[in-house]
Amino acid sequence: MTESFLQRMGRRPGLLALLLQLLALCAVLLLHRGLLLAGWAVPLVVLVGLQAAMSALLSWRCGQASWWWLIHLLFVPGLWLAAHWQVAPGWLLAALLLVLLLNWNSLGERVPLYLTGRRTERKLQGLLADLPPTLRLVDLGCGLAGTLCRLAERYPQGQFVGVETAPLVFVLAWLRCLGRANCRVYYRSLWDERLGDYDVAYCFLSPAPMPRLWQKVQAEMRPGSCLISNTFAIPDVPAQRVIELHDWRRSRLLLWQR
């Protein structure tokens, strides 16, 4: 029963994060109450730190991605500091909206905003050099489209398409691609993009969508095309080629040929 519940909640990481925050808060309040009855007065800053550490620990135990741990560690301490410094509520709301608009996909798809590193990008450019200059590439979750634009500049005869559904990220990426004849960004889910139209599908997602993405690749991509994933593997499907980037994020490029 518990495992099934956690699996269901895992598909709603934002809701799970809120639940873990509340559980940690209740535990700290109960501990504070017990210590008061025993004659121990604990400073508020210590209680805030305990709540943050406990919620991050619960997040880890529930299998959430590491960036969720950081959110748990900073959330309540951030609220406490804002109250201590008397930050206007409007600024807090604006900050929350900004984070949501930039990381919208992390709530439903469990895909945060990842940006391709320059070393990885250079290696990707080298891989594309082996393909015809008229290649067609789709970036599944293109983020701010920096990599997409630079690839389009490097291969002017090719066609480069990005899809993105985080609202603010899409707007910034779309503006970045204006005036580029061979580069376009669409407000579209990667699940709605027809992969059969492309020679290369590139992605930098998270472990969560990779099994479903492989099913889509098998169903849609034509023979001779390839999937290139930044860092994240497909469970039980060994990549035909793995290129280690040796950067601080331990990035690698994984390739599957159709």
Side-chain angles (χ1 to χ4, degrees), residues 1-6 8:
M1 177 68 72
T2 302
E3 183 179 0
S4 176
F5 173 75
L6 288 178
R8 292 196 300 271

Side-chain angles (χ1 to χ4, degrees), residues 9-59:
M9 292 298 293
R11 293 191 291 270
R12 300 173 176 83
L15 186 59
L16 177 59
L18 177 60
L19 176 61
L20 297 181
Q21 282 285 328
L22 292 174
L23 286 174
L25 178 61
C26 290
V28 169
L29 289 176
L30 288 173
L31 175 63
H32 178 53
R33 179 65 175 173
L35 291 174
L36 284 178
L37 292 175
W40 290 71
V42 180
L44 180 58
V45 65
V46 174
L47 297 175
V48 169
L50 282 174
Q51 194 279 341
M54 189 175 298
S55 61
L57 178 62
L58 289 172
S59 177

